[in-house]
Every structure is written in structure tokens, then in C-alpha cells.
């Protein structure tokens, strides 16, 4: 933090963006470093709290921006784009790795998705001997299997994983817990275990025609494409689902050469679980979205998909908020197509954990203490989508970091409890935003033109250029640092903040 003698601002205060971030990144600090052109410092500061900064800078849903105080002046700061800029600007191989002496306490992590990698990162910094067990041939979990290259290039993922390995974390790929190694064996050989297997089983639709040729599992499609396989697809594609995976599947179909792609979902457009900006990108790429429709049957001809029969969905949830769609079966329409891709949701496969005596919930997730993530078996913790789904990448990372703190406390014999940030979140009165602040345009990342995306998996968002990133960083009000004074119209502190830049 800044020197408290510089102004009255208390170092105990937490900026709204820092509080809203699931992993509580030190946003004002690294933004200031970018504004001053100290990119190595910015990258180092980011890695203190974010083990996957280049990944997160591409796939995070950035709740920090929703509470950015700058929005009361003009537009929120482009925090996520700045994080990506700082992560990309410095070669991660050249970032100095903290040297932490390893103790004799060994921790096993099951799964190398965002939760597992975040836990491994923090536990390594705590001095623990960490081994990660991953069933797939390469580390990354759903980051590798489920996110298309146009959103997250695998070279970017590999760089972040390599940094974690440089901390001394061992990742054993092609090793399935429950098959290649038993959970009981891990209990004998390790002092603590964190289960973060994510959700890799696709949900069934349960309508007639699901077995027709041309019905494709959305996750299988993404896995195949991400794995470099040659994946064939029809000319007229229908995607069923309204979440982010469904959007990824539809945009992938466009890149595979489909002539027409239509997405059908239960929700009204404003209720779609997919992020709004992802929906807008899909529409810009020519994907038609038909909302408030539910599948009644997949139609076929000679054993192959010929279309989808839909009903109007009148409500997705019941009065208690439970998922229980209702339909008007009299209002039926048919969408013609030769391929139907199912992307209606994922679920965890925790048979290995249940066989070892761990309790599962009615939803098939692991049962664990909400505060500590400890399960009913001593020394075993669980988090991420294996505990609560669906979740986002950064929420899974937050669970991994939380588990790391709990496991470290457990190994030290400390009573487990909820560990959070100390300090008070800044409360800002909109009426006290100083008039001296002039609106300044938010910098936008350049994007690949729509015409160049079809048939290509090149990354769509191109990242902020250096000069633009530095100017964008200067829009920050540096909440929780000297920027606190901005809200008190204290000219002396304006001058102080000016000197900092």
C-alpha cells in the first residue's frame, strides 16, 4: 500500500473493485503501476493474487468493472483488459519466481482446472509440497477442453501453467483418480487432499430423436476441436442451450464452416445465463438466437437429423425459484437443420469420491463446509464446480485459493474458519463525486473483424496497445490509495495523486 503519511487515507480501506473481485485482486496497485509504465511491477503485483493472469484477462466476467467508481463519471475502467495487457507485456518466463522453502507436508490436488491450479499456486507459496493429478493428457481442465481457441489461445494457458510449475508444483497428467490411483492411496501418501475435478459430464436432453445421427454433444465438439481433431459438421446447425458453453459451441460451428447456425434456448433474451457481451458477439457473427423455446423432439429422416420441433417456454423457474420449465404445447414450430448440438449443462462425475466414503448432495456434488471447504473426511477438502456448479473461472479460482488457506491452516493445526479480507469497503456518495473530474473515453480492445472470423480460430480480442493501456490506467481514481480523497473534494490530495502519476 502507499505510505499512510502521504494523506489521511487509511490503508485498511478496500476499493469496491477489489471487494467485488472473487479473488480480491489488488486492482488499484497494479493499475497505478501500469499508469506509470512499470509493467514488470504490474505483472508481479497481479501474480501476488492471481495465479492465472493471462487466462483471467481473457475469460473473466469482470464483476470489478460493475462497481468501478469511474462509472459515476463516464464509463468503468477497463480493468480486465488492463490485467491482460500487463500479463502479456511481460514474458512470464522472465518473471522472478518467489523462492519458498518446502516443508515436509505434502498435498495432493485432484484436477488441474482453475480451482486446482489456484490452490496449487497458493499452497506452493505457503511452502507446501504439491502434486496435481489430471486425467487428461494436458493440464488445464475445462480451460483447455471447453474454451475455444478464439477466446483463450492454448499457448496463453500453457504460459500461466508453466509459471505455476516453476513454483515447484508437479502435475501428473493422464492419471485418473479412482482408476490409475485410488483416493485411499492419496490419503496414505499425502497429508491433505483437495478435490477440484470440475464438471465434465454432459446432461441429457431426454426427448425423442436424441439418438439420431447428427445429434452432437457440445462438450465433445469443443474437446475435439481444442484437441486438434478434424471435426465434421453439417451446413444447418441448431444449438440447444442458453449458457456460455452454448454460445461457444455456436461460434465454433461458424468457424467450422456451418452456413447457418441457430441457437434455441428456454430463457427470454434478457434472462439468458450467457454473458451479454458473448451473446452480442454471437449475433454479430451471424448466429440467430431464438429465445423462449424448448425442444419437444428432434426430427429425423432416414435415421439422420432433419430438424427440431419446439414448444413455447412460458416460464423457466417455478414460484420458489427452482428450475422447472413450463411450456405451451399448442404453440409448436419446426426449425429445419441437419445437425443438433446439445449444450444444456454439465455435471460432475464423483463416483471415485463416493466410493471412498465422501458424501454427495442431491445434485451430485460433494458436501463440504461452506467456510473451510472441508469435507466429512478428515484432511479432504473440495471446491470449484465439484462442490457448487455452474460457476465461472474466477469463482473456481477463488474456491481454490480459499481451499489453500484452509489446508495450510489445517496442516498447522489451526482451527478452520472463514478467512477473508480485513478492512472496510469504500462507500461513495454519488453526489460527492468532484466536478473537477472530466469525462475521459474508455479505451476498447481492437477486435478481429467479423469477416475474418469465419473459418478461423484466431483470437478475437487483440489486446490494448501499450500507449492506450497506459492512458486507460490513468483514468483510475485509485480507490483505497490516495484516490480516497477524491471523494472529499480535497485539493491537496488531488495534487498528491497527481504526483503519484
Amino acid at each position: 500500500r502507499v505510505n499512510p503519511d502521504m494523506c489521511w487515507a487509511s490503508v485498511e480501506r478496500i476499493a469496491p473493485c477489489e471487494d467485488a473481485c472473487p479473488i480480491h485482486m489488488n486492482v488499484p496497485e497494479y493499475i497505478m503501476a501500469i499508469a506509470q509504465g512499470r509493467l514488470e511491477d504490474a505483472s508481479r503485483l497481479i501474480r501476488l493474487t492471481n495465479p492465472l493472469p493471462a487466462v483471467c484477462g481473457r475469460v473473466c466476467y469482470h464483476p470489478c468493472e460493475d462497481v468501478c467508481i469511474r462509472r459515476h463519471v463516464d464509463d468503468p475502467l477497463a480493468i480486465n483488459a488492463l490485467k491482460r495487457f500487463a500479463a502479456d507485456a511481460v514474458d512470464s518466463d522472465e518473471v522472478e519466481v518467489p523462492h519458498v522453502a518446502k516443508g515436509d507436508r505434502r498435498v495432493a490436488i485432484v484436477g488441474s482446472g482453475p480451482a486446482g491450479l489456484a490452490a496449487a499456486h497458493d499452497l506452493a507459496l505457503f511452502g507446501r509440497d504439491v502434486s496435481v493429478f489430471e486425467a487428461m493428457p494436458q493440464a488445464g481442465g475445462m480451460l483447455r477442453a471447453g474454451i475455444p481457441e478464439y477466446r483463450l489461445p492454448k499457448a496463453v494457458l500453457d504460459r500461466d501453467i508453466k509459471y505455476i510449475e516453476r513454483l515447484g508444483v508437479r502435475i501428473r497428467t493422464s492419471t485418473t483418480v479412482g482408476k490409475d490411483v485410488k483416493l485411499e492411496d492419496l490419503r496414505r501418501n499425502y497429508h491433505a487432499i483437495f478435490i477440484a475435478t470440475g464438471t465434465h459430464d454432459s446432461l441429457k436432453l431426454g426427448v425423442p430423436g436424441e439418438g439420431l445421427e447428427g445429434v452432437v454433444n457440445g462438450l465433445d465438439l469443443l474437446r475435439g476441436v481444442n484437441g486438434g481433431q478434424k471435426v465434421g459438421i453439417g451446413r444447418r446447425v441448431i444449438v440447444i442451450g442458453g449458457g456460455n458453453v452454448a454460445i461457444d459451441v455456436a461460434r465454433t460451428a461458424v468457424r467450422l464452416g456451418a452456413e447457418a447456425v441457430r441457437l434455441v434456448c428456454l430463457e427470454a433474451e434478457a434472462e439468458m445465463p450467457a454473458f451479454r457481451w458473448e451473446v452480442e458477439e454471437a449475433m454479430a457473427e451471424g448466429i440467430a438466437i431464438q429465445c423462449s423455446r424448448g425442444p419437444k423432439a428432434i426430427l429425423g429422416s432416414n435415421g439422420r437429423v432433419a430438424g427440431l420441433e419446439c414448444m413455447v417456454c412460458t416460464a423457466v423457474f417455478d414460484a420458489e425459484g427452482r428450475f422447472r420449465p413450463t411450456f405451451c404445447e399448442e404453440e409448436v414450430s419446426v426449425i429445419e437443420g441437419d445437425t443438433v448440438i446439445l449444450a444444456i449443462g454439465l455435471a460432475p462425475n464423483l463416483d471415485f469420491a463416493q466410493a471412498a466414503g465422501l458424501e454427495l448432495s442431491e445434485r451430485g456434488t460433494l458436501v463440504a463446509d461452506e467456510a473451510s471447504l472441508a469435507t466429512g473426511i478428515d484432511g479432504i477438502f473440495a471446491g470449484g464446480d465439484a462442490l457448487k456448479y455452474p460457476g465461472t473461472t474466477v469463482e473456481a479460482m477463488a474456491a481454490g485459493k480459499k481451499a489453500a488457506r484452509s489446508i495450510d491452516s489445517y496442516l498447522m493445526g489451526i482451527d478452520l474458519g472463514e478467512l477473508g479480507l480485513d478492512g472496510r469497503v469504500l462507500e461513495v456518495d454519488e453526489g460527492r463525486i468532484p466536478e473537477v473530474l472530466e469525462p475521459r473515453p474508455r479505451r476498447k480492445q481492437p477486435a478481429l473483424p467479423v469477416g475474418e472470423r469465419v473459418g478461423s480460430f484466431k483470437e478475437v480480442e487483440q489486446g490494448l496497445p501499450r500507449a492506450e493501456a497506459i492512458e486507460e490506467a490513468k483514468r483510475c481514481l485509485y480507490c483505497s490509495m490516495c484516490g480516497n480523497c477524491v471523494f472529499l473534494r480535497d485539493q491537496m490530495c488531488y495534487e498528491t495523486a497527481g504526483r503519484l502519476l
Side-chain angles (χ1 to χ4, degrees):
R1 298 290 190 190
V2 295
N3 186 340
D5 294 333
M6 296 175 68
C7 66
W8 68 269
S10 169
V11 297
E12 295 178 353
R13 295 192 174 211
I14 300 169
C17 56
E18 194 171 355
D19 178 65
C21 173
I23 60 175
H24 304 301
M25 291 193 68
N26 46 355
V27 177
E29 292 180 72
Y30 78 73
I31 296 293
M32 178 172 284
I34 295 172
Q36 295 173 337
R38 298 184 291 109
L39 303 187
E40 291 80 4
D41 288 342
S43 180
R44 177 181 55 80
L45 286 166
I46 289 171
R47 288 188 181 276
L48 290 176
T49 49
N50 192 326
L52 299 166
V55 169
C56 209
R58 288 164 167 82
V59 303
C60 183
Y61 73 107
H62 44 75
C64 51
E65 297 184 17
D66 294 336
V67 298
C68 176
I69 300 305
R70 186 84 205 187
R71 76 191 191 280
H72 298 301
V73 180
D74 37 46
D75 293 310
L77 197 70
I79 299 173
N80 203 49
L82 288 172
K83 176 172 56 191
R84 168 182 169 166
F85 165 76
D88 289 352
V90 179
D91 188 343
S92 59
D93 288 341
E94 297 179 3
V95 176
E96 184 178 356
V97 174
H99 295 287
V100 181
K102 285 186 181 180
D104 60 355
R105 304 281 93 177
R106 297 184 302 278
V107 180
I109 296 176
V110 185
S112 69
L117 290 173
H121 171 275
D122 285 14
L123 284 165
L125 292 179
F126 294 154
R128 304 305 179 184
D129 188 335
V130 183
S131 295
V132 179
F133 296 83
E134 170 57 53
M136 295 193 300
Q138 291 178 284
M142 287 299 289
L143 293 174
R144 186 178 300 278
I147 301 181
E149 185 84 4
Y150 67 83
R151 284 183 58 208
L152 176 61
K154 299 306 170 279
V156 171
L157 173 61
D158 290 338
R159 288 202 306 268
D160 276 352
I161 293 176
K162 184 178 179 181
Y163 178 85
I164 294 172
E165 290 180 306
R166 288 174 60 205
L167 293 172
V169 173
R170 292 181 297 274
I171 302 179
R172 293 177 54 179
T173 56
S174 300
T175 305
T176 302
V177 174
K179 178 183 176 182
D180 300 308
V181 59
K182 301 296 183 184
L183 192 59
E184 293 84 350
D185 296 332
L186 297 183
R187 290 195 68 199
R188 284 193 294 269
N189 296 321
Y190 294 86
H191 299 93
I193 300 170
F194 177 48
I195 299 177
T197 48
T199 50
H200 291 266
D201 284 1
S202 298
L203 299 179
K204 298 288 187 180
L205 190 58
V207 299
E210 199 165 359
L212 289 168
E213 183 181 353
V215 177
V216 180
N217 178 289
L219 181 56
D220 288 345
L221 175 75
L222 293 176
R223 280 175 176 155
V225 173
N226 288 332
Q229 300 174 16
K230 186 176 181 180
V231 178
I233 201 167
R235 294 186 299 108
R236 297 172 299 164
V237 175
I238 303 167
V239 178
I240 302 177
N244 290 310
V245 173
I247 295 292
D248 282 342
V249 165
R251 296 179 70 187
T252 296
V254 168
R255 285 158 175 78
L256 291 175
E259 296 176 6
V261 179
R262 185 181 296 272
L263 186 144
V264 178
C265 64
L266 298 173
E267 300 85 1
E269 186 172 334
E271 300 171 333
M272 290 179 66
F275 299 134
R276 183 61 202 172
W277 57 90
E278 293 287 351
V279 175
E280 291 173 353
E281 287 290 332
M283 294 171 68
E285 292 174 6
I287 296 165
I289 299 179
Q290 191 159 352
C291 297
S292 301
R293 295 290 187 274
K296 184 175 182 179
I298 299 174
L299 306 178
S301 176
N302 298 320
R304 181 165 183 85
V305 168
L308 180 70
E309 187 177 28
C310 300
M311 303 174 287
V312 171
C313 180
T314 55
V316 179
F317 301 97
D318 63 16
E320 284 73 40
R322 293 170 297 192
F323 180 75
R324 189 169 293 173
T326 54
F327 302 96
C328 179
E329 298 191 26
E330 289 76 23
E331 293 189 50
V332 176
S333 59
V334 173
I335 302 172
E336 294 183 352
D338 52 26
T339 303
V340 170
I341 306 178
L342 307 180
I344 58 172
L346 303 170
N349 185 337
L350 295 164
D351 292 344
F352 76 95
Q354 188 174 32
L358 286 167
E359 182 183 358
L360 299 188
S361 69
E362 292 182 359
R363 297 189 71 211
T365 58
L366 287 168
V367 174
D369 180 75
E370 184 177 352
S372 67
L373 303 184
T375 68
I377 296 181
D378 184 57
I380 299 183
F381 299 75
D385 283 3
L387 185 67
K388 183 180 179 181
Y389 74 91
T392 65
T393 295
V394 71
E395 288 167 343
M397 290 167 60
K401 293 174 72 66
K402 186 176 186 179
R405 295 194 298 272
S406 293
I407 290 170
D408 191 57
S409 298
Y410 168 80
L411 295 176
M412 290 190 292
I414 299 173
D415 288 339
L416 298 178
E418 188 168 9
L419 302 174
L421 287 177
D422 295 324
R424 181 164 62 88
V425 178
L426 285 168
E427 296 181 1
V428 179
D429 183 352
E430 293 183 36
R432 301 181 72 183
I433 300 295
E435 297 174 359
V436 71
L437 287 175
E438 296 181 358
R440 299 169 65 182
R442 170 180 165 123
R443 270 65 179 182
K444 295 183 179 180
Q445 297 186 87
L448 195 69
V450 172
E452 297 180 23
R453 301 180 195 179
V454 178
S456 168
F457 281 87
K458 293 179 181 178
E459 189 171 12
V460 171
E461 293 186 334
Q462 303 292 294
L464 288 171
R466 178 189 174 102
E468 291 286 289
I470 290 175
E471 287 304 309
E472 178 63 20
K474 289 180 179 179
R475 294 179 63 240
C476 183
L477 301 179
Y478 307 108
C479 308
S480 80
M481 302 176 78
C482 281
N484 288 306
C485 308
V486 166
F487 311 118
L488 298 183
R489 302 173 185 263
D490 189 325
Q491 186 61 40
M492 179 64 72
C493 288
Y494 273 125
E495 295 173 0
T496 302
R499 287 197 299 274
L500 286 171
L501 290 177

